[in-house]
Amino acid sequence: MTQKLTQRITINDVASAAGVSRQTVSRALNDKGEIDRETKQRVLDAARDLGYRPSRFARGLVRPDTTSIGLVIPDLLNPFFTEVAAAALEAARARGWHVVVYDTADSLEEERGTLQVIGTQVDAVVGYFSLSEAELDEHTRGMPVVLIGRQSPRFSSIRIEGAAGVRSAVDHLVSAGHRRIGMLDYANRADPSDRHAWFCAAMATHGLATDAVTTAAQSVAGGAEALVELLDRHPDVTAVFTFNDIIAIGALRTVRRLGRELAVIGFDGLQLGTVVDPELTSVALDTRRIGALAVEQAARLLAGAEPLAGDDLVVQAVLLLRESA
Amino acid sequence: MTQKLTQRITINDVASAAGVSRQTVSRALNDKGEIDRETKQRVLDAARDLGYRPSRFARGLVRPDTTSIGLVIPDLLNPFFTEVAAAALEAARARGWHVVVYDTADSLEEERGTLQVIGTQVDAVVGYFSLSEAELDEHTRGMPVVLIGRQSPRFSSIRIEGAAGVRSAVDHLVSAGHRRIGMLDYANRADPSDRHAWFCAAMATHGLATDAVTTAAQSVAGGAEALVELLDRHPDVTAVFTFNDIIAIGALRTVRRLGRELAVIGFDGLQLGTVVDPELTSVALDTRRIGALAVEQAARLLAGAEPLAGDDLVVQAVLLLRESA
DNA sequence: TTGAAAGCGTTACCAT
DNA sequence: ATGGTAACGCTTTCAA
């Protein structure tokens, strides 16, 4: 005898249906003692018949606070973000938190939409945003916000520091005898990336030229094409560093198809890199640490405790040697 | 002048700090008109100073219902589940729903824990469960539940139907001349899998033997090892069908390393299959449809509308030809 | 064992 | 422009 929920069914409806008071219903539903077995059963039946579901809001208002955070990710299908998300989920679970996940599909519009509705749902927000600080501030209204991979004077942020890791990568290539090392950068940005800057700095320490740089689309195909182009322009290149692992995997494919000998080092250190053959050497980010750190910082902000600062918020990339270089 | 939140700061605290009434605070914070600019500013300042954040519960109690669902996934890092999760997120977003994601880490214990806390947080639950129906029922207490890939008389469920797809795969291999076709099944289950049954049925239609079956661990390495073993025992095998794409990718690696010629067909049709070389041919599941269907069914259950039933809840696997077979 | 009343924090309606 | 009062749905005291 389920019925349509045109109007919300409340505890009062159940109470009158069962011929008891609200409190008795509450007791029956929450397995409190001090209630007649028979009464309890009658209430339970009534509740089931009516399709009654307690309002989580009303309940939350009265019971000890559960905390939940919003996790904002540009694209859950991108393995890097998947790893960060999984890590954040794990860290949140350890605290007994709930995580509401939003995939903004790399779109500013979706980001805005998310921000507008998120405020009423969560106690803090963690993740990736491309919106301006002003816009973020306007919608989050003092709610704790932890940005990942983006500096901000206004909000807490997890900083990604890759200079040392990229230097190790270049050192590694150089000591293997490589001198002409190219790079596949990410195309979709106006400026060259941080990673490009780190690459140039590392090359400079060896007095090596950094003219062999091409941009690639953010996909396996993009990496594959970009490497063809790069080798076309700079046939003497014997090794490449790439913006990320996806692009590197594409590059690896080109290497294989061309039957060429070429060292490849990616960036991110995804588990995905172990799926390809040869397994991908990469400048690795500890995605679990990123997720855990973001959640930890949110916890401190929420508790009004001393927030992490400075180096505690930095995630250092390190060279992860596998097979491709 | 932020202060520790030993006690929750309410709208009343802000009101008295700003020397106005609750309602005025509410107006100021929610950008309602009809308020003096100066008063508004004073309220906003007070709120910021106190670190005031509205209770989402109190707000939810009063404002038009937002609906949110729980999405329960055994392992977000498994690309198959990632795809389903992304699809569910997208479908939920289209409805303006919030999705609370739980990764149960393939553990019954975590599943139980999730179930216990989920009831107070969401309006419906969608996802993968290994718990008994009785246990599920006990904790969900009449909340709509949509199971994926698991039949249940008690709950709605999305059924995965792969017989036809696997038959296509076997047909494809046979018409390419293969007669000795092996299978790498998943090891962690007591019984052979559905997929194994589908494989045997398909082979039977060609009068082919199904003795060349080994089990593999659910990983790339597992697939690689299992294929070595299989070829060891059945050197005449010229093609293999695998429990899923991960295992297939491992098999592909062995094929490459052994320098053998062997057709491989996986199951799932993951995007991941385009990353390897050769790209993986697979019996593909439409993960977007799975996610969308689960959410759609949850919507109907929530609205008290006629739920989907029968074939509408079935997702058919289809052969996705790429390069590995 | 059961019920009446109070209160959780917020917004809406109606005065002022 | 601002404040008082009621209401949202539930749980928790406290009496009966």
Side-chain angles (χ1 to χ4, degrees), chain A residues 21 23-24 27 34-36 39 62:
Chain A
S21 69
Q23 307 70 315
T24 304
R27 275 190 282 258
E34 323 234 326
I35 184 175
D36 191 272
T39 312
V62 170

Side-chain angles (χ1 to χ4, degrees), chain A residues 64-69 86-99 123-124 126 146 288-308, chain B residues 102-103 110 113 117 121:
Chain A
D65 264 11
T66 32
T67 113
S68 64
I69 63 169
L89 245 40
E90 190 184 342
R93 166 177 287 270
R95 292 188 148 77
W97 288 3
H98 299 259
V99 182
D123 303 307
V126 154
V146 182
R288 292 195 60 188
R289 177 139 193 275
I290 294 175
L293 225 46
V295 169
E296 159 84 19
Q297 180 75 333
R300 291 179 181 234
L301 260 20
L302 239 22
E306 187 68 25
L308 297 172
Chain B
Y102 302 85
D103 184 329
E110 300 285 12
V117 297
Q121 291 289 316

Side-chain angles (χ1 to χ4, degrees), chain B residues 136-157:
Chain B
L136 283 178
D137 201 31
E138 178 188 351
H139 288 294
T140 52
R141 282 211 180 287
M143 163 164 42
V145 175
V146 181
L147 264 23
I148 306 179
R150 163 178 167 188
Q151 290 315 99
S152 159
R154 200 109 123 229
F155 303 105
S156 271
S157 53

Side-chain angles (χ1 to χ4, degrees), chain B residues 181-256:
Chain B
I181 305 173
M183 175 170 179
L184 267 30
D185 199 11
Y186 179 42
N188 251 20
R189 308 175 139 258
D191 331 295
S193 61
D194 280 355
R195 300 173 190 189
H196 177 258
W198 296 330
F199 171 71
C200 291
M203 291 291 278
T205 67
H206 292 278
L208 262 23
T210 54
D211 58 307
V213 174
T214 308
T215 57
Q218 149 68 1
S219 67
V220 173
E225 289 163 21
L227 185 59
V228 170
E229 189 187 324
L230 184 77
L231 290 178
D232 205 45
R233 287 218 281 250
H234 306 278
D236 55 339
V237 160
T238 62
V240 288
F241 168 64
T242 68
F243 178 83
N244 68 17
D245 284 356
I246 304 286
I247 292 174
I249 287 172
L252 235 32
R253 172 175 299 183
T254 290
V255 169
R256 207 179 301 114

Side-chain angles (χ1 to χ4, degrees), chain B residues 20-64:
Chain B
V20 297
S21 70
R22 295 211 284 291
Q23 306 72 327
T24 305
V25 174
S26 177
R27 275 190 282 258
L29 260 41
N30 295 305
D31 274 323
K32 302 286 180 193
E34 322 235 327
I35 184 174
D36 192 271
R37 283 198 64 76
E38 195 179 318
T39 313
K40 177 171 177 178
Q41 194 52 54
R42 189 152 37 93
V43 170
L44 257 29
D45 288 347
R48 185 185 334 271
D49 283 354
L50 263 41
Y52 166 70
R53 298 193 319 98
S55 150
R56 65 171 188 280
F57 295 114
R59 199 171 250 179
L61 201 51
V62 169
R63 292 232 269 224

Side-chain angles (χ1 to χ4, degrees), chain B residues 255-289:
Chain B
V255 169
R256 207 179 301 114
R257 301 225 160 146
L258 259 40
R260 251 185 105 134
E261 190 86 5
L262 195 94
V264 175
I265 299 186
F267 194 103
D268 280 347
L270 300 182
Q271 296 185 7
L272 182 61
T274 64
V275 161
V276 293
D277 194 8
E279 294 189 7
L280 186 64
T281 288
S282 183
V283 179
L285 252 21
D286 186 342
T287 49
R288 292 195 60 190
R289 177 139 194 275

Side-chain angles (χ1 to χ4, degrees), chain A residues 183-225:
Chain A
M183 175 171 179
L184 267 29
D185 199 11
Y186 178 40
N188 251 21
R189 310 175 137 259
D191 332 296
S193 62
D194 279 356
R195 300 173 190 188
H196 177 257
W198 296 330
F199 172 71
C200 291
M203 292 291 279
T205 67
H206 292 278
L208 263 22
T210 54
D211 57 307
V213 174
T214 308
T215 57
Q218 150 68 4
S219 67
V220 173
E225 289 162 23

